[in-house]
Amino acid sequence: MGSCVPFADEEPFSERVKNLKNQDLLEIWEETQQIENLLRSEIQAEISLAPDYEQTIIDELRLRSSRQCLSAAPPKGCPNS
């Protein structure tokens, strides 16, 4: 039977991101940004909900992009393509 929780609780987020699609990572990042912006406007204070998560997502996307650029046929947008 399926579960709505795709990861074990013990698995760190830095490991979880490795198994997510790029679109899923971007959606997590976008939703976090939207919640932060809403809270900032409501309480009039500078807050950051998940800076470690955000940096982990960015690092993972950069790593994937670098790997793709180093492949035999790099897509447009890669340096020197």
Side-chain angles (χ1 to χ4, degrees), residues 15-68:
E15 291 300 312
R16 293 178 187 187
V17 298
K18 295 176 183 179
N19 298 314
L20 294 172
K21 296 177 184 176
N22 289 356
Q23 187 60 37
D24 294 336
L25 290 174
L26 292 170
E27 285 177 11
I28 292 169
W29 179 82
E30 181 182 16
E31 289 171 4
T32 303
Q33 295 298 307
Q34 290 173 352
I35 293 168
E36 281 183 9
N37 289 335
L38 177 65
L39 289 173
R40 284 181 187 149
S41 67
E42 290 294 320
I43 63 174
Q44 302 296 315
E46 189 66 28
I47 62 165
S48 183
L49 291 178
D52 294 338
Y53 284 7
E54 181 176 344
Q55 190 59 51
T56 301
I57 290 170
I58 291 169
D59 291 344
E60 180 65 23
L61 290 171
R62 282 186 182 149
L63 177 63
R64 292 177 186 186
S65 177
S66 295
R67 286 180 182 158
Q68 192 174 23

